[in-house]
Amino acid sequence: MSKKTPQINSGSMADISFLLISFFLLTSSINTDMGISRKLPPPLDPNVKPPEIKQRNVFTVLVNQSDRLLVEGKPGDLSTLKSLAKEFYTNPSDNPDLAEMEMKFIPNLGDVRVAKSAVISLKNDRGTSYEMYLKVQNELTAAINELRDELSVQKFGVKLSLLTNEDQINAIKTAIPVSISEAEPENVGGQ
Amino acid sequence: MARFKKKGSKAAPEINTGSMSDIIFMFLFFFMVITTIREATLIVKVRPPQASEVQKLEKKSLVSYIYIGPPIKKDLGGQSRIQLNDQFAAINDIQEFITRERESRDEVDRKLITTSLKIDRETRMGIVTDVKQELRRIGAFKISYSAAKGKALNKN
């Protein structure tokens, strides 16, 4: 019998890997990057006239310098913003002041009653605080997400986040697009 | 009875430490996977606002960051300023920054670059609007307002 090879002492291996761990712990941060995604509109062409949009199809939200809201011409509050936006988008009682609705055929969904060309117009002042602005954005996003969920539950029985079929997800997204327009900035109210 | 009697007192058996390194390595890989190497040393204070409708940014490698907030050093004043990479910047530096970020990515991925705006909650919208206008002009349309997940509606 040949001699057994002597065991290599692997105890220090743990030390080495501990060093590596501490290096990674120091140089890294756990990825907590979350945010509200938006798509900016391309710059306006001064020669092309902006398309006419009927007043009833626009849901105007103004945020002033002292973080107060004006929703559709009336002083508003964050807590009611979401329900107002949802009502505007769905227009359950065919109110002539809210968005125009139409029956539209969307593949995978069939005929759905959707807003024709509803737009949320969000305008802020230069003095608005970012926190308030993001809260308003958040409420408007929440309104759209809830509408999408409702439609998804109605058509497929599950919430949008639980859908796995890419076609179904896209169909829902086409039916209720994120149409939040951030109006051209105006210089009012100073810094 | 004597059958089970041990032959003399043995020294305590050595514990095999070989597997210890495997465990530690597992930890190591775990940390390597869930973390990102810090992009920049912050010189502005960023306390992200809270929002409930946040989404995760999909591809970390395709995100470039713009920080806006009051400088950490108190003697530089309380006005919000822009930080790109490791230094303060002005609005017209953004174009160069974005161009560089684009050049460092694959040509296929360039359209997918998201600009994450990490903005302090007390920043005024004026500077944010300026940055947004500049990004529009350059053509970096995909943005993300960085926020922490939480309840957005706290009654004030």
Side-chain angles (χ1 to χ4, degrees):
Chain A
M1 275 296 260
S2 60
K3 241 190 183 177
K4 262 191 191 166
T5 43
Q7 266 197 330
I8 298 168
N9 186 4
S10 51
S12 53
M13 187 89 141
D15 300 351
I16 298 170
S17 17
F18 258 124
L19 276 181
L20 280 175
I21 280 206
S22 26
F23 169 74
F24 272 100
L25 278 179
L26 287 180
T27 56
S28 58
S29 51
I30 293 184
N31 184 25
T32 49
D33 206 29
M34 319 255 276
I36 297 179
S37 298
R38 279 281 172 276
K39 202 152 192 182
L40 293 173
L44 285 184
D45 189 340
N47 303 320
V48 180
K49 262 182 105 181
E52 292 277 325
I53 304 176
K54 278 189 204 157
Q55 190 50 46
R56 64 175 286 192
N57 282 331
V58 184
F59 183 77
T60 354
V61 182
L62 293 155
V63 197
N64 80 354
Q65 206 177 345
S66 42
D67 290 354
R68 299 205 186 258
L69 282 177
L70 195 69
V71 183
E72 290 278 67
K74 291 185 218 77
D77 188 70
L78 260 187
S79 50
T80 53
L81 182 61
K82 186 167 76 185
S83 48
L84 280 176
K86 277 174 81 174
E87 198 189 340
F88 165 77
Y89 258 107
T90 46
N91 195 358
S93 52
D94 276 317
N95 186 331
D97 290 335
L98 301 176
E100 272 180 281
M101 306 299 287
E102 61 172 359
M103 291 306 278
K104 197 172 164 192
F105 179 79
I106 293 170
N108 290 313
L109 280 182
D111 283 314
V112 268
R113 186 167 173 271
V114 290
K116 213 171 172 183
S117 52
V119 172
I120 295 177
S121 158
L122 171 59
K123 214 176 227 184
N124 62 273
D125 188 85
R126 287 186 74 87
T128 308
S129 84
Y130 179 66
E131 188 176 21
M132 185 62 186
Y133 174 78
L134 205 82
K135 274 183 183 165
V136 173
Q137 283 270 16
N138 186 55
E139 289 308 303
L140 297 176
T141 320
I144 290 174
N145 284 349
E146 277 183 22
L147 287 174
R148 282 179 170 176
D149 272 345
E150 280 166 19
L151 184 67
S152 176
V153 168
Q154 186 197 335
K155 295 282 175 187
F156 306 120
V158 285
K159 284 190 172 181
L160 181 66
S161 54
L162 298 174
L163 279 181
T164 44
N165 187 333
E166 203 63 34
D167 293 333
Q168 291 180 344
I169 295 175
N170 285 334
I172 299 272
K173 287 188 174 168
T174 344
I176 303 165
V178 182
S179 48
I180 299 176
S181 133
E182 292 160 49
E184 292 290 309
E186 282 169 30
N187 280 322
V188 276
Q191 283 283 349
Chain B
M1 279 314 199
R3 205 189 255 177
F4 298 108
K5 204 182 164 192
K6 282 181 181 167
K7 289 174 197 160
S9 61
K10 254 193 207 164
E14 260 186 77
I15 296 169
N16 186 4
T17 48
S19 52
M20 176 100 140
S21 62
D22 298 350
I23 296 168
I24 306 292
F25 262 118
M26 259 205 258
F27 268 122
L28 178 61
F29 290 135
F30 171 72
F31 277 110
M32 279 169 72
V33 169
I34 65 161
T35 55
T36 45
I37 294 200
R38 207 167 273 161
E39 306 86 24
T41 325
L42 281 181
I43 46 173
V44 293
K45 200 161 60 180
V46 175
R47 293 156 299 170
Q50 290 198 326
S52 58
E53 305 298 316
V54 290
Q55 294 167 316
K56 265 195 182 143
L57 282 181
E58 272 154 25
K59 283 194 179 143
K60 275 181 258 165
S61 55
L62 290 178
V63 180
S64 38
Y65 297 90
I66 295 179
Y67 305 88
I68 305 173
I72 286 178
K73 274 193 191 165
K74 284 281 177 316
D75 50 348
L76 293 172
Q79 279 279 8
S80 280
R81 296 178 66 175
I82 306 167
Q83 180 190 348
L84 301 172
N85 294 324
D86 276 337
Q87 50 199 333
F88 289 120
I91 294 285
N92 26 1
D93 294 331
I94 293 178
Q95 174 157 27
E96 199 193 328
F97 170 74
I98 294 289
T99 322
R100 236 183 247 162
E101 290 283 318
R102 280 189 190 145
E103 275 164 7
S104 65
R105 290 345 190 276
D106 254 12
E107 210 156 320
V108 196
D109 295 334
R110 280 186 195 162
K111 272 182 286 175
L112 303 171
I113 297 180
T114 310
T115 314
S116 175
L117 301 175
K118 290 185 174 255
I119 304 173
D120 187 77
R121 60 178 72 150
E122 266 153 43
T123 303
R124 300 284 125 190
M125 279 307 287
I127 190 167
V128 182
T129 311
D130 290 343
V131 170
K132 266 161 56 185
Q133 286 301 103
E134 184 71 8
L135 287 174
R136 263 177 87 181
R137 202 175 62 76
I138 306 163
F141 297 132
K142 283 185 77 164
I143 59 167
S144 158
Y145 300 107
S146 181
K149 195 168 175 73
K151 269 195 203 135
L153 280 183
N154 43 346
K155 298 274 174 280
N156 38 342

